[in-house]
Amino acid sequence: MIRTRFRPIAVAIAAAATVLSLSGTAAASGATTASEVSGATSARAATPVPTGKAALTRNPIYKTGQFDFTECKELDRRPDDVESYKIYLDHLLDCLNLSWAEEFRQAGLSFAKPKVRFITSAVKTGCGKYPAPYAAGIYCQADKTMWILIYKQQLADPSEFELFQVIAHEYGHYVQDRVGILRATDKLAPHFGTAKFYSLNRRVELQAECFSGAFIGSIWHSLGRDQFDWDDLLDYKYGDKWHGTRKSIVYWLKRGWNGNGPSVCDTFTAPASKVA
Ligand SMILES: [Zn+2]
């Protein structure tokens, strides 16, 4: 399945891609977990990756504290200089890795850095051709890679803030994958009717928004940005049935921002009204 953050101009693409992955990945996942736990030399994992409903509602990642690393500088970018944008994003990625590695440690779950590709066109991914121009970023479960699209308007404006949130959001999907949340939702999805299915997907997407808000909130004071940048980001949000209403998206972004950690981001036990 592809997990995306769509650009405002876009509405759903991916509903069709949903039910593909199931039994194969589920069977393989047990083996992955076991080897990660037993063979873990770099990152000790005392806690097995949860499965089923427990992965969604009692995930150990919800029991961790606020993000510990609260400093993250934004490096300078130059207009239309893709390389400077990649360096900028790589640095944000370092910050995300530091912050999330500590949360995984607190949760007792093993951590590894995600694979990431920064692209400027619709390249081929492990989930098919990148859905440009509709997606600002995707997380592809098949290749375990975050694909971040740097597009023309962003290249023209080196002070833009959208890319920051895109990478934090896609990182959120990577976290969901590592802590068993995506696997659990993949197993539930085929048993759900259309309405419940969309609701489940919105809980996944809104949680990634919350994770991104929590990260951004935790390092905000170190960025030297104006409140306007954050307000502007919220203003720019559009909803759809796949990602939630604008109101829901803003709610979870702010909730993450104020909570500074993943403990406030359990969208799976939230009332339906909060994930509309
Ligand atoms: Zn997403």
Side-chain angles (χ1 to χ4, degrees):
M1 189 189 303
I2 305 181
R3 305 292 183 178
T4 63
R5 182 179 167 286
F6 287 111
R7 291 165 56 190
I9 55 164
V11 196
I13 278 186
T18 314
V19 188
L20 316 169
S21 55
L22 306 176
S23 48
T25 48
S29 68
T32 307
T33 307
S35 65
E36 277 176 3
V37 172
S38 63
T41 46
S42 54
R44 277 170 300 130
T47 311
V49 176
T51 57
K53 272 214 149 167
L56 305 181
T57 59
R58 297 196 306 279
N59 201 290
I61 205 72
Y62 302 147
K63 300 195 177 75
T64 59
Q66 297 186 347
F67 286 120
D68 267 9
F69 295 91
T70 57
E71 300 286 326
C72 183
K73 294 276 176 268
E74 285 185 274
L75 302 184
D76 286 341
R77 290 171 281 177
R78 289 177 298 278
D80 299 316
D81 179 350
V82 174
E83 207 46 45
S84 72
Y85 275 66
K86 288 183 176 176
I87 292 167
Y88 167 86
L89 286 167
D90 259 332
H91 184 70
L92 297 185
L93 192 63
D94 287 344
C95 297
L96 283 158
N97 283 329
L98 270 176
S99 290
W100 277 108
E102 171 59 18
E103 300 299 304
F104 274 75
R105 193 194 63 74
Q106 289 176 18
L109 296 167
S110 84
F111 175 79
K113 295 174 182 176
K115 288 186 275 185
V116 185
R117 293 281 305 276
F118 305 128
I119 58 174
T120 54
S121 62
V123 299
K124 190 167 166 286
T125 77
C127 291
K129 192 181 176 196
Y130 186 93
Y134 304 108
I138 66 170
Y139 175 69
C140 172
Q141 283 169 264
D143 62 14
K144 304 282 177 201
T145 300
M146 296 160 54
W147 297 82
I148 309 294
L149 179 68
I150 307 167
Y151 59 95
K152 275 204 176 98
Q153 295 92 321
Q154 291 167 332
L155 280 167
D157 175 13
S159 68
E160 65 80 37
F161 191 58
E162 188 191 10
L163 270 173
F164 197 124
Q165 204 248 325
V166 171
I167 194 169
H169 174 103
E170 300 309 333
Y171 202 107
H173 287 314
Y174 171 68
V175 169
Q176 290 172 324
D177 198 2
R178 270 201 90 77
V179 304
I181 287 172
L182 295 189
R183 198 173 298 144
T185 56
D186 283 353
K187 287 189 96 169
L188 278 173
H191 306 292
F192 282 6
T194 308
K196 265 183 101 177
F197 168 75
Y198 276 114
S199 169
L200 182 67
N201 196 80
R202 287 196 297 274
R203 289 178 195 272
V204 171
E205 289 298 335
L206 291 167
Q207 182 171 70
E209 289 290 67
C210 183
F211 285 168
S212 78
F215 173 74
I216 294 168
S218 71
I219 47 86
W220 182 259
H221 71 100
S222 72
L223 296 182
R225 281 194 178 260
D226 196 273
Q227 183 69 27
F228 171 82
D229 291 306
W230 175 249
D231 294 342
D232 194 43
L233 185 89
L234 299 182
D235 284 347
Y236 199 52
K237 290 286 182 185
Y238 286 68
D240 60 47
K241 65 182 174 183
W242 191 252
H243 293 79
T245 61
R246 184 181 175 281
K247 191 177 166 198
S248 300
I249 292 170
V250 169
Y251 170 80
W252 286 102
L253 272 169
K254 283 185 172 171
R255 189 177 159 88
W257 168 280
N258 290 321
N260 288 326
S263 66
V264 297
C265 296
D266 175 6
T267 54
F268 294 96
T269 53
S273 60
K274 296 294 186 200
V275 295

